[in-house]
């Protein structure tokens, strides 16, 4: 397999699948450019190595063909500033203009293609469409981890047209290396912390982790399904009644596999789902009616922090409580702080999945853990043990 570090881009046109799906304001201004910034090292490697770069991405969810508010044209100015060079733009990601512009690229030049999802062929994984994109370039680089779980034309199918000249970009490489550290190459003790609203969306990850982790901490809204399944009283807390059996099976499987499963013993209760609700701490399995648990309690925080701080590998996915409200963010913040402490003591810590990433950013601790994955759905599927089409397309 070729790597971007070793590859010689001199005189080559590289088509790079980037993830420029950035949030835009009503006036089409970029409100968070971290995804664009993250792609810069890969683009630089190509152009500084004497190649030219053709960038392709999706932006938003256009329904029927082109829509100005989803045009990648809005990103051109900012990208040009970040790269310190002029950028060419093709109004259509395939077709004559894109071909002419790509044919005329000189070493060091960058061409940005219009939104791939203006064509429904993109998400359908259409082969003829993928071939048109492939014909624009000599080399294919996939640097969009966030869409690696989709067999789209630009993320997977296109790779067929580049027998050997295909590789991961730097973002993909570091995502895979970091996630492999919590999936395969793990140092013990290994603790996985799973939170968030629902058990139903995390079952497969939990199942996969039961074969890997030494300790599994459960928090967030999903803990109540476990507490109820174990015979506890959960008052008005959220619960997936259809998943009580699943929770029991997970508890049994953890026992059988020797994984220590930790469910909060105390919780922070509120008398309504509101920032200004009355609150009190209570035993997690004796919650009075009319009250609902919105965060883990102080004893659980102390116990979980101690486990995390003595671990050497830490994976965190999903908040411990309703961290969006300051009153119920304490548990999630404590977990983040314990991860930071463990990282300072040499542990490898990975935060992944939309809401835990939002939480660690909110606390300003994102630079103090080993790795924050941007993967979202792709990360979750990878952690479930699935083969991601965007990854196997490069590896095979
Ligand atoms: P998920 O997307 O499944 O990771 O869930 C994240 C969401 O779960 C966040 O928006 C949290 O506010 C929410 N959440 C966490 N703990 C609770 C809780 N105890 N009750 C209700 N929602 C919660």
């Amino acid at each position: 397999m070729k790597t971007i570090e070793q590859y010689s881009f001199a005189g080559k046109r590289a088509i790079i699948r980037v993830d420029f799906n950035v949030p835009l304001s009503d006036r089409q201004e970029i409100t968070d450019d971290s995804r664009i910034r993250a792609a810069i090292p890969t683009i630089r490697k190509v152009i500084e190595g004497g190649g030219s770069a053709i960038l392709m991405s999706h932006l938003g969810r256009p329904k029927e063909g082109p829509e100005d508010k989803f045009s990648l044209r809005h990103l051109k100015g900012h990208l040009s500033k970040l790269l310190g060079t002029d950028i060419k733009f093709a109004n259509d990601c395939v077709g004559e203009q894109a071909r002419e512009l790509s044919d005329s690229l000189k070493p060091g030049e960058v061409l940005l293609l219009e939104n791939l999802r203006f064509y429904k062929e993109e998400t359908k994984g259409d082969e003829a469409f993928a071939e048109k994109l492939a014909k624009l370039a000599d080399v294919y680089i996939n640097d969009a981890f966030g869409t690696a779980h989709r067999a789209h034309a630009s993320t997977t199918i296109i790779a067929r047209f580049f027998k050997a000249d295909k590789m991961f970009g730097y973002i993909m490489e570091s995502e895979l290396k970091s996630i492999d550290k919590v999936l395969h190459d793990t140092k013990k003790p290994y603790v996985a912390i799973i939170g968030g609203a629902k058990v139903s969306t995390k079952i497969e990850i939990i199942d996969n982790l039961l074969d890997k982790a030494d300790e599994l901490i459960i928090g967030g809204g999903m803990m109540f399904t476990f507490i109820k399944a174990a015979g506890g009283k959960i008052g008005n807390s959220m619960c997936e009644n259809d998943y009580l059996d699943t929770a029991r099976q997970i508890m049994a499987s953890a026992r059988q596999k020797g994984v220590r499963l930790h469910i909060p013993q105390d919780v922070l209760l509120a008398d309504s789902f509101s920032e200004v609700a009355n609150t009190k701490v209570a035993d997690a399995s004796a919650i009075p009616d009319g009250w609902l648990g919105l965060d883990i309690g102080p004893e659980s925080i102390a116990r979980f922090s101690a486990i995390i701080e003595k671990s050497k590998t830490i994976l965190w996915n999903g908040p411990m409580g309703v961290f969006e409200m300051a009153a119920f963010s304490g548990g999630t913040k404590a977990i983040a702080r314990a991860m930071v402490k463990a990282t300072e003591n040499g542990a490898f810590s990975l935060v992944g999945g939309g809401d835990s990433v939002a939480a660690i950013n909110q606390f300003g601790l994102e630079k103090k853990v080993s790795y924050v994955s941007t993967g979202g759905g792709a990360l979750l599927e990878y952690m479930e043990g699935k083969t991601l089409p965007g990854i196997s397309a490069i590896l095979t």
Side-chain angles (χ1 to χ4, degrees):
M1 196 197 121
K2 302 214 158 122
T3 68
I4 181 167
E5 197 53 39
Q6 293 159 349
Y7 196 84
S8 169
F9 290 99
K12 300 252 169 84
R13 291 166 306 166
I15 190 159
I16 313 174
R17 176 53 159 101
V18 287
D19 179 1
F20 282 177
N21 185 27
V22 292
L24 293 178
S25 71
D26 292 345
R27 284 179 293 151
Q28 267 70 48
E29 287 156 353
I30 302 164
T31 54
D32 177 357
D33 71 347
S34 34
R35 286 182 171 166
I36 303 182
R37 282 179 188 275
I40 300 294
T42 295
I43 304 169
R44 271 201 202 294
K45 169 74 179 157
V46 171
I47 55 178
E48 285 171 5
S52 52
I54 303 166
L55 310 178
M56 57 174 173
S57 178
H58 75 284
L59 174 63
R61 292 169 183 261
K63 286 192 195 78
E64 285 292 329
E67 260 178 274
D68 182 65
K69 69 172 173 176
F70 297 123
S71 173
L72 278 158
R73 175 191 308 282
H74 306 302
L75 276 48
K76 184 174 171 260
H78 191 62
L79 177 63
S80 162
K81 210 154 65 191
L82 290 177
L83 279 171
T85 177
D86 273 350
I87 308 277
K88 298 183 177 197
F89 184 75
N91 295 317
D92 187 347
C93 61
V94 288
E96 213 164 300
Q97 187 210 15
R99 230 179 12 253
E100 278 167 13
L101 283 169
S102 66
D103 280 348
S104 67
L105 283 175
K106 294 189 197 69
E109 288 187 336
V110 180
L111 167 65
L112 175 64
L113 302 180
E114 184 54 290
N115 197 338
L116 294 161
R117 292 205 190 157
F118 285 170
Y119 285 87
K120 58 181 181 337
E121 287 85 345
E122 162 64 359
T123 50
K124 284 195 170 151
D126 184 86
E127 189 157 9
F129 177 70
E131 188 172 15
K132 283 184 199 158
L133 291 168
K135 284 207 164 128
L136 301 176
D138 309 301
V139 191
Y140 169 62
I141 302 175
N142 188 352
D143 211 18
F145 183 66
T147 45
H149 58 319
R150 305 282 182 230
H152 293 170
S154 70
T155 64
T156 302
I157 313 303
I158 189 173
R160 289 178 199 161
F161 302 98
F162 297 88
K163 272 205 188 70
D165 298 301
K166 54 183 180 180
M167 65 203 75
F168 297 125
Y170 288 122
I171 302 173
M172 276 285 247
E173 274 188 354
S174 57
E175 287 276 350
L176 297 179
K177 213 164 76 195
S178 304
I179 303 166
D180 279 344
K181 280 196 186 168
V182 298
L183 280 186
H184 304 300
D185 180 23
T186 53
K187 284 209 198 97
K188 305 235 155 201
Y190 175 9
V191 60
I193 309 136
I194 305 291
K198 294 179 170 173
V199 190
S200 51
T201 58
K202 310 268 165 99
I203 299 165
E204 288 172 77
I205 295 171
I206 295 176
D207 270 346
N208 197 16
L209 288 172
L210 286 175
D211 291 324
K212 301 184 163 67
D214 303 301
E215 323 254 359
L216 179 62
I217 291 174
I218 301 280
M222 70 161 77
M223 67 180 166
F224 300 105
T225 305
F226 284 88
I227 293 167
K228 187 168 175 183
K233 244 186 105 248
I234 60 165
N236 292 36
S237 307
M238 71 160 24
C239 181
E240 287 175 285
N241 286 314
D242 294 348
Y243 285 86
L244 295 171
D245 276 343
T246 306
R248 283 185 203 106
Q249 277 156 18
I250 291 171
M251 291 188 274
S253 168
R255 264 193 306 276
Q256 193 200 343
K257 291 179 174 173
V259 178
R260 284 181 293 278
L261 184 66
H262 304 278
I263 293 168
Q265 70 263 47
D266 61 341
V267 280
L268 180 59
L269 298 181
D271 60 0
S272 69
F273 190 86
S274 150
E275 180 83 86
V276 293
N278 293 306
T279 62
K280 64 177 179 185
V281 172
D283 179 336
S285 42
I287 301 176
D289 287 339
W291 291 81
L292 61 163
L294 295 185
D295 197 6
I296 58 175
E299 282 177 26
S300 308
I301 288 179
R303 188 161 59 103
F304 295 173
S305 300
I307 295 169
I308 294 167
E309 283 170 31
K310 69 170 177 45
S311 295
K312 284 280 165 263
T313 303
I314 306 156
L315 164 69
W316 177 33
N317 172 271
M320 295 293 99
V322 185
F323 73 98
E324 298 93 336
M325 297 187 206
F328 310 107
S329 65
T332 305
K333 196 185 263 176
I335 294 300
R337 287 204 178 118
M339 278 183 84
V340 168
K341 220 164 172 184
T343 313
E344 285 165 359
N345 290 330
F348 179 82
S349 56
L350 184 141
V351 182
D355 274 314
S356 16
V357 175
I360 198 133
N361 289 339
Q362 180 180 312
F363 307 140
L365 296 174
E366 69 280 10
K367 299 228 158 58
K368 297 191 168 176
V369 291
S370 310
Y371 197 75
V372 178
S373 170
T374 54
L379 172 77
L380 298 189
E381 288 196 20
Y382 196 58
M383 287 195 328
E384 285 167 5
K386 292 189 181 139
T387 306
L388 306 191
I391 293 174
S392 45
I394 296 288
L395 297 179
T396 52

